[in-house]
């Protein structure tokens, strides 16, 4: 993935830092745009996956909208030129202040997650003489077969409105003058690699649409959320997820009514593979079963392994020696600060440059200053002068 001049450039920087392959991001965006255009699908980029302004500007330039989960994400999207009429806003805990600013910005749609939230949005919209466009975020009770921390669409989750609340909601909507129902929204989890899960989602959406149809309601759009996974084990073999087959599933199984639009909220599948966390080996320390390679990057730069035992491919960019096993760990004072156990790497020594791959999504955005760590910088392939 990295040629010798790029290596030289990276090796001259102070570690740790994020490195983004902007060519890969461009190719991914062009692919998504082309594949989505076959069916006239609308794409909103899930800002929470990576909110780096340089990455946002590029994504925005391809004409995608934004999917936000906080007021500051709405602000960041607008600052980076995402048109406000292409911004959707989800989240179980929208504060009054956030709702106010979203109304002021005239966003496309609030994805509402509870009855009390709809009532509060109505109240605030009324005070501003506005009508809020909303979609109901429905919990379809479809299991995403992914890590339980990133499953969001089964009955026990905090997300979304459950079908047994539909009657009450319809009654409520007839009473609220400052709410306009424009869509149905679903998002069942993240890192979903089994495409049959999306087929199950479509079939469930069809049933739910039928219920609304029986109650004389046809919404303008169906938002199927995001969640499409990436190949963490083989990032170079599958740098771009199979968007053609992904969109084809929805085209095949989702029953649409006349003029109904389909919206997607893609995060990880857009930015996941373009980013790597680059770090340096501080020490190699002998352990009982394997040796420890102690890096200068830790859970403060990339939290996913500590947070949900996520796998990231680890590469030694400086060595081509024979392989040995290492527990690759960070410097933070937590035992969970570990990027991988018994990782096979070429013989590793102090100052070797290490790449932790597929870190473009939920990497930089989750960084913290725990242990009073410095915030890591980011570098972009198109800034490198060769
Ligand atoms: C996180 C999130 C997404 C994006 O999920 P990915 O797995 O990164 O595609 C989309 N929609 C909502 C509501 C989310 O919370």
């Amino acid at each position: 993935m990295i040629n010798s001049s790029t290596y030289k450039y990276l090796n001259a920087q102070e570690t740790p830092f994020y490195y983004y392959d902007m060519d890969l991001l461009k190719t991914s965006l062009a692919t998504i745009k082309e594949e989505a255009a076959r069916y006239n699908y609308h794409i909103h980029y899930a800002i929470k996956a990576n909110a780096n302004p340089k990455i946002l500007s590029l994504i925005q330039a391809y004409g995608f909208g934004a999917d936000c989960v906080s007021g500051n994400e709405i602000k960041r999207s607008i600052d980076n030129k995402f048109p406000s009429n292409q911004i959707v806003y989800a989240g179980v805990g929208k504060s009054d202040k956030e709702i106010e600013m979203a109304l002021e910005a005239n966003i496309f749609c609030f994805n509402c997650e509870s009855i009390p939230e709809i009532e509060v949005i109505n109240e605030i919209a009324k005070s501003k003489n506005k009508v809020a466009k909303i979609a109901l975020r429905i919990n379809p009770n479809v299991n995403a077969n992914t890590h339980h921390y990133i499953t969001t669409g089964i009955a026990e989750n905090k997300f979304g409105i459950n079908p047994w609340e539909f009657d009450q909601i319809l009654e409520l909507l007839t009473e609220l003058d400052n709410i306009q129902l424009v869509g149905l929204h679903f998002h069942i989890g993240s890192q979903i690699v089994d495409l049959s899960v999306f087929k199950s989602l479509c079939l469930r959406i069809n049933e739910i649409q039928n219920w609304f149809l029986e109650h004389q309601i046809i919404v303008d759009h169906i938002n199927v959320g995001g969640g499409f996974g990436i190949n963490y084990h083989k990032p170079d073999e599958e740098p771009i997820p199979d968007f053609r087959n992904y969109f084809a599933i929805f085209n095949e199984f989702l029953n649409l009514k006349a003029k109904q639009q389909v919206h997607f909220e893609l995060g990880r599948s857009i930015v996941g593979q373009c980013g790597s966390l680059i770090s340096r080996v501080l020490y190699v320390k002998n352990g009982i079963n394997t040796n420890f390679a102690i890096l200068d990057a830790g859970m403060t730069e990339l939290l996913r392994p500590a947070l949900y035992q996520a796998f990231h491919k680890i590469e030694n960019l400086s060595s081509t020696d024979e392989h040995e096993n290492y527990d690759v760990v960070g410097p933070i004072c937590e035992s969970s600060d570990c990027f991988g156990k018994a990782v096979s790497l070429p013989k590793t020594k102090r100052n070797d440059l290490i790449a932790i791959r597929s870190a473009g999504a939920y990497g930089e955005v989750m960084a913290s200053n725990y242990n009073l760590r410095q915030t890591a910088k980011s570098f972009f392939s198109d800034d490198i002068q060769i």
Side-chain angles (χ1 to χ4, degrees):
M1 139 227 184
I2 278 174
N3 60 28
S4 61
S5 46
T6 305
Y7 175 79
K8 236 187 217 162
Y9 177 87
L10 298 180
N11 202 25
Q13 310 303 329
E14 190 186 336
T15 51
F17 57 86
Y18 272 91
Y19 171 68
Y20 294 104
D21 179 343
M22 299 304 270
D23 288 327
L24 176 57
L25 181 56
K26 280 178 198 161
T27 316
S28 304
L29 290 166
T31 305
I32 297 165
K33 193 172 171 150
E34 184 185 334
E35 297 300 335
R38 287 174 197 280
Y39 314 111
N40 233 333
Y41 287 164
H42 297 252
I43 310 293
H44 303 264
Y45 166 62
I47 302 286
K48 78 174 192 282
N50 189 318
N52 189 304
K54 200 165 157 167
I55 288 188
L56 294 186
S57 305
L58 183 62
I59 295 174
Q60 172 281 128
Y62 280 76
F64 297 164
D67 164 40
C68 301
V69 291
S70 74
N72 282 346
E73 284 191 356
I74 294 174
K75 188 168 180 312
R76 176 75 62 94
S77 338
I78 292 171
D79 287 348
N80 287 281
K81 304 205 166 62
F82 283 91
S84 52
N85 64 3
Q86 289 184 45
I87 293 177
V88 293
Y89 176 26
V92 289
K94 302 175 182 80
S95 73
D96 294 20
K97 216 170 131 187
E98 288 175 312
I99 293 168
E100 280 171 25
M101 85 84 89
L103 282 168
E104 294 292 340
N106 292 318
I107 63 165
F108 170 63
C109 187
F110 290 81
N111 292 333
C112 294
E113 310 223 11
S114 68
I115 290 172
E117 179 194 327
I118 297 172
E119 289 170 334
V120 169
I121 293 177
N122 179 66
E123 224 170 86
I124 297 176
K126 186 180 233 158
S127 74
K128 293 186 176 302
N129 258 325
K130 287 184 178 265
V131 174
K133 286 189 284 179
I134 71 159
L136 302 175
R137 176 174 182 173
I138 294 168
N139 185 340
N141 205 12
V142 171
N143 195 336
N145 293 327
T146 182
H147 191 278
H148 59 281
Y149 277 13
I150 49 176
T151 296
T152 58
I154 52 176
E156 66 196 56
N157 291 126
K158 69 175 174 182
F159 299 99
I161 292 164
N162 289 303
W164 57 84
E165 298 171 290
F166 287 173
D167 282 311
Q168 196 188 340
I169 291 214
L170 291 199
E171 209 169 301
L172 183 68
L173 288 177
T174 58
E175 293 162 12
L176 303 181
D177 295 331
N178 299 75
I179 294 285
Q180 184 193 357
L181 178 67
V182 295
L184 300 178
H185 173 237
F186 304 84
H187 174 69
I188 54 173
S190 203
Q191 186 49 22
I192 298 166
V193 286
D194 174 3
L195 283 180
S196 74
V197 169
F198 293 112
K199 176 184 168 183
S200 306
L201 173 63
C202 289
L203 300 180
R204 189 75 187 103
I205 293 175
N206 295 342
E207 288 173 13
I208 291 168
Q209 275 245 69
N210 285 341
W211 187 93
F212 279 89
L213 221 53
E214 283 163 19
H215 293 76
Q216 286 77 47
I217 291 177
I218 301 179
V219 291
D220 300 339
H221 78 269
I222 303 292
N223 183 335
V224 298
F228 192 25
I230 61 171
N231 193 335
Y232 280 98
H233 288 267
K234 295 178 175 169
D236 292 321
E237 273 133 273
E238 206 185 331
I240 300 174
D242 185 354
F243 286 104
R244 177 169 297 196
N245 275 322
Y246 171 70
F247 291 127
I249 295 270
F250 291 90
N251 180 56
E252 184 175 357
F253 295 106
L254 196 58
N255 292 340
L256 296 177
K257 312 302 160 201
K259 290 198 206 153
Q260 226 169 22
Q261 292 183 345
V262 183
H263 292 240
F264 289 79
E265 302 168 336
L266 303 174
R268 186 192 313 270
S269 54
I270 298 183
V271 292
Q273 297 290 26
C274 76
S276 296
L277 175 61
I278 308 293
S279 172
R280 218 177 280 282
V281 177
L282 290 172
Y283 305 103
V284 176
K285 173 172 156 176
N286 296 329
I288 295 172
N289 297 317
T290 60
N291 294 332
F292 292 100
I294 301 168
L295 307 186
D296 62 6
M299 62 194 284
T300 41
E301 286 70 47
L302 180 62
L303 185 61
R304 298 186 68 255
L307 185 62
Y308 18 69
Q309 292 125 27
F311 175 90
H312 284 266
K313 188 165 188 223
I314 301 172
E315 291 170 349
N316 185 331
L317 304 178
S318 306
S319 169
T320 51
D321 287 350
E322 265 182 56
H323 280 232
E324 290 182 4
N325 280 353
Y326 298 89
D327 283 5
V328 180
V329 301
I332 309 303
C333 299
E334 298 288 343
S335 294
S336 61
D337 186 29
C338 175
F339 289 119
K341 287 209 182 323
V343 181
S344 171
L345 290 175
K347 193 167 169 51
T348 294
K349 55 189 186 311
R350 177 170 164 83
N351 285 332
D352 281 357
L353 210 56
I354 301 289
I356 302 177
R357 302 290 307 280
S358 314
Y362 308 107
E364 202 182 339
V365 275
M366 284 194 185
S368 81
N369 298 107
Y370 181 44
N371 287 192
L372 296 190
R373 300 262 298 168
Q374 196 99 16
T375 302
K377 284 190 188 163
S378 40
F379 294 92
F380 303 86
S381 59
D382 53 2
D383 286 340
I384 299 179
Q385 310 291 339
I386 300 171

